[in-house]
Amino acid sequence: MSYLDLPISKIHELLVNDKITYQDLIKEALEKAHKYQPTLNLFETIIDNPSFNGLDKSNPLFGIPYVLKDNFSTKGILTTGSSNILKDYVPVYDATVVEKLRNSGAILVGKTALDELALGGTGTNGHNGPVHNPYNLDRQSGGSSGGSVVAVSSGIVPFAIGSDTGDSTRKPAAFNGVVGFKPTWGLISRYGLFPFATSLDHVGIFTRNVLDCAYVFENLAGYDSKDMSSANTIKTQYSKNLDNSLKGKKIGIIKEINDSMSNSLVKDNMSGVISLIKNQGCEVKEFNVDERLLRAILPVYLVISCSEATSNDACLDGIRYGIREEGETYIKSIINTRTKGFSELVKRRFVIGSYCLKAENQEKLFIRAQKVRRLIVDTFNKIFEECDCVIFPASGDVAPLIKGASDDEKLSSKYLIGENHLAIANFGGFPSITIPSGFINEMPIGINITGKCFDDQKVLDIASGIENTLGLKDLVKEVK
Amino acid sequence: MKISKQELNELSNNLLFDMSEKEYETLQEEFEVILEQMDLIGEIENIDDVKPMVFPYLIKGHELREDEVDNILSKEDVLKNAKDTMMDMIKVKKVVG
């Protein structure tokens, strides 16, 4: 019998009625983790002797095993960022997320692989090679939170923590038939999350249904004085408040984004979802957005994120952090360390950032990107004045093949809109969730629901309503 | 506009790492895409009058605090994280002279 395939509410019921113990759950999670690792390559570390600190048996996360993306600090546990430069790094403190989940009674059983330092979107650029999609092992997990999403979709754990700077939780969720949520910027503390782009980074949550996502979210949300971007808001019981009625909800769709999807079956799926939710009483309104702004999403994202990353990752030099390569001088040692420690993709991103920050380029590139960011965010905030949320396909197609992933990471102007639109929610800090919406050739696809800042409950409500209408939840892909 | 390999080489040197010839070629292609797109952005009306957006929204409640000791790591923990130590100190390569 597999318990970890079940929704958290069911596992919780079994635990409080003493039908199972948390030790049973740990055993099952670890057995699956070890069994699937050679095939899926999703872990940096499997924690064979996990610690348990459950005090409140009424908490739905009590006794629930979970995994954590390996860019969150864990005291005394290897934290690599899937980068060679940090392959031996053992932090001396816990991220706030880790501390909160421990206090909730959740049990950390593994640290998962990512695209190196979260600077990628395929799940193939970690230092230990690609993470595989359980639906088709030749295909990408998506990234950068590749290991975390696969741990949930393959049934190792019912929830996982990722991070999301451009779409790194919400796009992989679509590729793996699970729920991926990033709440409003500032609601979950980022203390202890390796910074990539400070103004865009969010903590992300993977689950197999929206209610489970609400359980995890309410345990993580809250002000943290250790994170200067933390928002001071009232504690909310998102799970108890969850209202899945779609009647009278106003949904926006963006014509230019829907039209840009590369696979016509994705467009058909989206049309199908729209007609189903209309039948449930939703009011759907189509909006037009200036295509120049939508085509600007990728360059704006790259200019801002690479510039911030260049600065954030300057500490990875073998002196303050990371492996240390020898060299005749102090500087030569740093050069040797960074040359050997970073992959080609990461170095390219740093060079882009450095170029954009040069005094002579700053106004034309970095500052201008920040200006366009505002125009894009203002455009969507205006749309949110007329509707409760917008929905779009989460990706233009199913998970791409692993072969050719390096080309997928190379910047091109081929799909400027349809593969980059989820970053709108990072620009604005908007709450944004992806849920499964169907399959194309046995590969899952998803839709994304995005609302205005601090409308997290509304976004979860609508996601829950659509999930209920589509009947697509609790999907697990068994790995043979 | 094409960025020269020499300029890219200077940038990577400033960032304290080396890159191969092939890596520079890929970067040149990527820069062509970025700069072309950023030029198109420049054509958006009145773009230069817009206020840059630094964070998603104005963060409140983080006024400067009193200079009190808070959230400190123990000496043992700090030293545990260091590759090379000597007595109670972290040992690094000679920086001056």
Side-chain angles (χ1 to χ4, degrees):
Chain A
M1 174 70 194
S2 174
Y3 296 110
L4 295 172
D5 292 0
L6 300 171
I8 290 175
S9 54
K10 286 269 157 47
I11 304 173
H12 180 65
E13 205 180 298
L14 293 167
L15 272 168
V16 292
N17 291 323
D18 296 324
K19 305 276 184 208
I20 52 168
T21 63
Y22 74 85
Q23 290 93 336
D24 295 333
L25 297 176
I26 293 175
K27 189 167 172 274
E28 184 187 328
L30 290 174
E31 276 174 8
K32 282 182 175 171
H34 283 288
K35 189 176 155 201
Y36 295 166
Q37 172 61 5
T39 316
L40 298 175
N41 193 34
L42 76 162
F43 285 107
E44 287 288 341
T45 305
I46 297 173
I47 301 166
D48 283 310
N49 295 302
S51 62
F52 175 63
N53 190 37
L55 296 171
D56 176 12
K57 217 174 175 179
S58 69
N59 190 316
L61 301 189
F62 176 93
I64 306 288
Y66 79 100
V67 297
L68 184 70
K69 188 171 176 177
D70 209 25
N71 57 350
F72 285 88
S73 292
T74 41
K75 186 172 181 173
I77 299 170
L78 190 68
T79 303
T80 65
S82 288
S83 178
N84 275 334
I85 206 162
L86 289 172
K87 68 185 172 65
D88 298 329
Y89 175 55
V90 179
V92 294
Y93 69 98
D94 279 324
T96 296
V97 162
V98 175
E99 196 183 311
K100 283 192 173 235
L101 287 172
R102 187 191 303 113
N103 293 338
S104 306
I107 303 163
L108 179 63
V109 295
K111 302 287 301 285
T112 57
L114 57 145
D115 286 301
E116 183 179 356
L117 301 169
L119 273 76
T122 59
T124 63
N125 201 46
H127 65 156
N128 290 334
V131 179
H132 297 261
N133 191 310
Y135 282 88
N136 180 335
L137 298 175
D138 293 332
R139 292 193 176 268
Q140 297 171 16
S141 59
S144 60
S145 313
S148 283
V149 68
V150 161
V152 175
S153 63
S154 65
I156 297 172
V157 284
F159 83 91
I161 302 300
S163 62
D164 191 318
T165 303
D167 57 23
S168 286
T169 295
R170 295 159 295 140
K171 203 196 259 188
F175 291 163
N176 284 269
V178 301
V179 172
F181 177 50
K182 74 148 207 72
T184 298
W185 191 78
L187 287 191
I188 300 181
S189 168
R190 304 177 302 175
Y191 177 71
L193 166 65
F194 292 178
F196 162 12
T198 318
S199 78
L200 300 165
D201 290 342
H202 295 66
V203 173
I205 299 166
F206 292 108
T207 57
R208 290 191 290 261
N209 63 68
V210 177
L211 176 62
D212 283 1
C213 183
Y215 287 140
V216 179
F217 178 37
E218 67 204 14
N219 273 286
L220 293 180
Y223 176 72
D224 182 8
S225 61
K226 288 185 264 185
D227 174 359
M228 68 173 291
S229 62
S230 180
N232 206 344
T233 53
I234 301 160
K235 196 168 168 58
T236 308
Q237 289 292 310
Y238 296 98
S239 62
K240 273 192 190 132
N241 297 340
L242 204 61
D243 170 12
N244 65 12
S245 163
L246 291 176
K247 202 170 162 50
K249 294 278 178 5
K250 291 180 182 153
I251 311 277
I253 53 172
I254 313 298
K255 185 178 183 305
E256 292 74 14
I257 292 181
N258 288 343
D259 287 352
S260 72
M261 296 299 136
S262 52
N263 186 334
S264 64
L265 295 174
V266 168
K267 291 185 199 176
D268 295 347
N269 177 268
M270 178 73 182
S271 307
V273 172
I274 297 297
S275 65
L276 283 171
I277 62 172
K278 273 185 182 167
N279 290 342
Q280 295 294 315
C282 271
E283 200 181 297
V284 179
K285 185 174 175 186
E286 188 173 76
F287 293 87
N288 290 98
V289 173
D290 184 345
E291 258 193 66
R292 288 177 304 177
L293 287 182
L294 295 174
R295 292 176 67 83
I297 295 170
L298 179 64
V300 166
Y301 171 74
L302 273 164
V303 169
I304 293 175
S305 67
C306 294
S307 299
E308 293 186 14
T310 301
S311 163
N312 280 329
D313 289 321
C315 61
L316 303 178
D317 57 11
I319 305 291
R320 286 165 290 182
Y321 289 96
I323 52 156
R324 189 180 306 161
E325 291 293 325
E326 289 309 316
E328 291 151 28
T329 63
Y330 174 75
I331 290 295
K332 197 72 197 150
S333 163
I334 295 179
I335 291 173
N336 291 344
T337 299
R338 287 168 67 85
T339 300
K340 205 167 167 188
F342 295 131
S343 69
E344 181 192 339
L345 175 72
V346 166
K347 283 189 243 178
R348 288 198 329 249
R349 295 292 174 261
F350 289 163
V351 172
I352 291 171
S354 178
Y355 181 82
C356 297
L357 289 175
K358 271 178 91 169
E360 60 268 37
N361 302 330
Q362 228 180 74
E363 186 62 42
K364 200 182 160 207
L365 295 170
F366 185 60
I367 308 284
R368 188 171 276 174
Q370 291 180 317
K371 290 176 177 182
V372 181
R373 176 180 182 176
R374 183 175 298 282
L375 288 182
I376 294 170
V377 171
D378 286 352
T379 301
F380 277 83
N381 273 327
K382 222 172 166 88
I383 290 172
F384 293 139
E385 285 172 14
E386 290 183 59
C387 59
D388 295 311
C389 69
V390 290
I391 67 174
F392 3 77
S395 175
D397 208 339
V398 299
L401 291 166
I402 289 174
K403 199 176 162 193
S406 60
D407 288 338
D408 294 337
E409 287 290 18
K410 200 168 122 186
L411 184 57
S412 102
S413 53
K414 204 169 163 195
Y415 299 117
L416 271 180
I417 303 176
E419 292 301 343
N420 302 296
H421 59 288
L422 296 187
I424 293 165
N426 301 78
F427 292 169
F430 304 140
S432 183
I433 188 168
T434 294
I435 59 170
S437 64
F439 289 85
I440 296 175
N441 297 328
E442 297 178 16
M443 288 304 294
I445 55 169
I447 56 157
N448 178 270
I449 300 133
T450 296
K452 74 166 192 276
C453 279
F454 302 106
D455 264 359
D456 299 71
Q457 183 73 56
K458 203 184 271 181
V459 165
L460 289 170
D461 287 350
I462 293 168
S464 175
I466 299 177
E467 174 186 78
N468 199 32
T469 305
L470 300 180
L472 279 173
K473 62 176 181 176
D474 303 325
L475 304 174
V476 174
K477 181 62 184 173
E478 201 186 324
V479 182
K480 299 285 180 207
Chain B
M1 187 186 94
K2 196 160 183 160
I3 296 184
S4 70
K5 280 189 192 169
Q6 193 196 333
E7 189 168 3
L8 293 176
N9 187 264
E10 279 167 23
L11 285 165
S12 66
N13 285 346
N14 290 342
L15 286 162
L16 299 177
F17 52 68
D18 292 326
M19 293 179 79
S20 68
E21 277 297 299
K22 199 174 158 287
E23 288 169 347
Y24 286 130
E25 280 164 23
T26 310
L27 249 178
Q28 279 182 311
E29 289 170 33
E30 290 193 315
F31 264 111
E32 269 184 62
V33 178
I34 295 184
L35 296 179
E36 187 194 324
Q37 294 303 322
M38 289 305 289
D39 276 345
L40 290 174
I41 287 169
E43 291 170 14
I44 295 172
E45 298 79 35
N46 306 322
I47 181 66
D48 289 323
D49 301 334
V50 179
K51 195 177 160 208
M53 185 177 213
V54 180
F55 289 110
Y57 55 83
L58 190 65
I59 308 163
K60 291 177 190 163
H62 292 274
E63 291 81 17
L64 289 177
R65 61 172 177 81
E66 291 303 313
D67 190 14
E68 288 164 357
V69 177
D70 184 21
N71 190 31
I72 51 167
L73 296 169
S74 71
K75 192 162 67 184
E76 292 73 29
D77 276 345
V78 171
L79 292 176
K80 235 189 276 170
N81 196 31
K83 265 268 180 303
D84 209 356
T85 60
M86 197 172 71
M87 296 186 292
D88 272 355
M89 292 174 282
I90 296 170
K91 200 173 159 191
V92 295
K93 208 168 180 75
K94 194 174 172 186
V95 179
V96 284

